[in-house]
Amino acid sequence: MTDITAFKKAELDKMRLLEAIDQIPMMINLWDEQNNLFFANQFSKKYHETNGISLKKGTTLRELSEKLVKAQNPDNANGKIRKLGYGQILNIDEGIDNEQYKIEKFLEFRKNLKGKVEYERILGDKILLATDQKLSDGGVMTTGTDITDLKKSQQVQEDLFEAVNEVPIIINLWDENDQLIFANNYSKSFNSKYGIYIDEGIKVEDLWSQILDKEKSRPKIISNNQKLPKLDFDDQRKIIKEFKQFRDELKDKIQFERYMENITLLVTEKRLSRGGILSTQTD
């Protein structure tokens, strides 16, 4: 009689692992070396079903590719797929709008796949960060993580960044070491009029040194706020040291007026939760 206890235990462990993979909330497809699908987890099946595509064991990569391309056709009543997202890795000629051409390019890509490749895959309303990984037995594991919310958040941030860049007030963002990490277009344009060059990475004391070197832009500061030091503008070294010390000790927010030639600016210095300072100046 042969003891198969160890064999049965190994099989049970494999079944448990497969069950766990089946429940993971990300797309997992396993393909053999002939590009036939032999496993797709529940997330992948439901994800494709939402877009009118049925994933079954034995589905070939060509069949899936044809369904994907057909589903993205705007003439298709069920065409919920906006685009495959493969263009970035397939070296597709954008001038060729041919379904079969796209399919052949993708199959060629998979045939020549070595190691791992990442790309964004867009189906319906979802955006996946997909990975094709060549396995030691010649097969391929395809995974996909839903990054829809992340991409939307990134888009909001990009829109906000664009808006902040166009606001007609000076906006400078400094890190906890008083090093500039962002200056909007208005800030750069305003300062350049006075021969002051402000770029990401500049230290606040270097900016003030430039300002004080320009006689025509030498500021006067008036404030009833007792937290602001009485700055001696005739002693450049002292003013920079005192102003730097003031910024280091700033805990919350302070406002003061800054006069340059015939311009009056309302300056707001706001300490942020991560230690940096947001500086705005409004004419």
Side-chain angles (χ1 to χ4, degrees):
M1 182 178 293
T2 304
D3 186 356
I4 61 171
T5 305
F7 173 77
K8 296 290 287 184
K9 184 179 183 303
E11 286 296 303
L12 182 60
D13 289 343
K14 287 181 181 179
M15 289 178 63
R16 286 172 176 167
L17 177 59
L18 202 59
E19 183 179 359
I21 292 174
D22 200 37
Q23 299 302 316
I24 290 176
M26 64 181 289
M27 181 180 77
I28 300 178
N29 295 334
L30 296 176
W31 304 84
D32 65 21
E33 56 185 334
Q34 280 80 41
N35 280 325
N36 298 311
L37 183 70
F38 69 86
F39 175 80
N41 70 344
Q42 291 298 318
F43 182 94
S44 180
K45 290 177 181 177
K46 291 179 181 178
Y47 177 74
H48 285 85
E49 284 172 3
T50 302
N51 294 283
I53 298 173
S54 177
L55 275 187
K56 298 179 180 179
K57 184 177 181 179
T59 298
T60 68
L61 187 62
R62 178 178 290 277
E63 289 171 343
L64 177 59
S65 300
E66 289 172 348
K67 290 177 181 179
L68 287 170
V69 171
K70 182 179 180 181
Q72 75 168 0
N73 189 333
D75 296 329
N76 185 343
N78 297 317
K80 298 179 181 179
I81 300 179
R82 296 200 301 274
K83 63 179 181 178
L84 291 175
Y86 296 133
Q88 65 205 73
I89 59 173
L90 300 187
N91 192 27
I92 287 177
D93 185 344
E94 296 297 336
I96 302 177
D97 186 18
N98 181 279
E99 293 183 359
Q100 196 59 39
Y101 167 74
K102 296 176 183 178
I103 292 170
E104 296 303 328
K105 289 293 287 186
F106 179 64
L107 294 176
E108 178 185 347
F109 152 73
R110 281 290 293 268
K111 179 181 178 181
N112 298 322
L113 177 66
K114 299 182 187 302
K116 181 172 69 174
V117 175
E118 287 187 345
Y119 53 90
E120 288 180 11
R121 176 176 172 179
I122 305 175
L123 292 132
D125 296 326
K126 298 293 185 181
I127 304 174
L128 295 185
L129 177 61
T131 300
D132 282 348
Q133 170 76 56
K134 193 76 170 182
L135 303 177
S136 58
D137 64 358
V140 172
M141 178 175 68
T142 298
T143 62
T145 305
D146 188 348
I147 58 170
T148 308
D149 292 340
L150 175 62
K151 295 296 288 187
K152 287 180 179 178
S153 176
Q154 288 179 343
Q155 185 60 56
V156 170
Q157 291 177 24
E158 290 173 5
D159 291 343
L160 180 60
F161 176 80
E162 183 178 354
V164 168
N165 235 341
E166 300 305 321
V167 171
I169 64 174
I170 294 173
I171 299 178
N172 296 329
L173 181 60
W174 305 85
D175 68 14
E176 64 276 14
N177 299 312
D178 275 334
Q179 189 167 343
L180 186 70
I181 56 179
F182 173 77
N184 70 340
N185 289 338
Y186 188 85
S187 175
K188 293 178 179 179
S189 175
F190 178 89
N191 282 285
S192 67
K193 293 178 183 177
Y194 297 93
I196 299 166
Y197 299 98
I198 179 168
D199 288 306
E200 286 74 10
I202 191 173
K203 302 285 287 184
V204 70
E205 52 265 42
D206 294 332
L207 174 61
W208 270 82
S209 180
Q210 284 191 71
I211 292 173
L212 295 171
D213 281 341
K214 306 296 180 182
E215 187 65 32
K216 66 179 180 179
S217 67
R218 180 165 294 185
K220 294 180 181 179
I221 294 178
I222 297 178
S223 173
N224 293 324
N225 195 317
Q226 297 301 313
K227 295 180 182 179
L228 189 71
K230 295 185 182 298
L231 302 174
D232 181 3
F233 285 89
D234 292 324
D235 189 334
Q236 182 169 324
R237 272 180 145 185
K238 186 178 179 181
I239 188 176
I240 292 176
K241 181 179 178 181
E242 290 179 346
F243 188 68
K244 181 67 170 67
Q245 182 179 348
F246 151 71
R247 281 173 64 92
D248 290 343
E249 296 174 354
L250 181 64
K251 302 298 183 185
D252 186 22
K253 181 174 73 173
I254 191 171
Q255 285 188 326
F256 53 88
E257 293 180 359
R258 172 184 170 191
Y259 297 90
M260 298 177 63
E261 292 187 332
N262 60 339
I263 298 175
T264 303
L265 297 173
L266 176 62
V267 180
T268 301
E269 303 273 300
K270 169 66 177 176
R271 177 70 69 184
L272 303 177
S273 59
R274 294 189 178 183
I277 289 180
L278 173 65
S279 177
T280 63
Q281 301 181 38
T282 308
D283 186 350

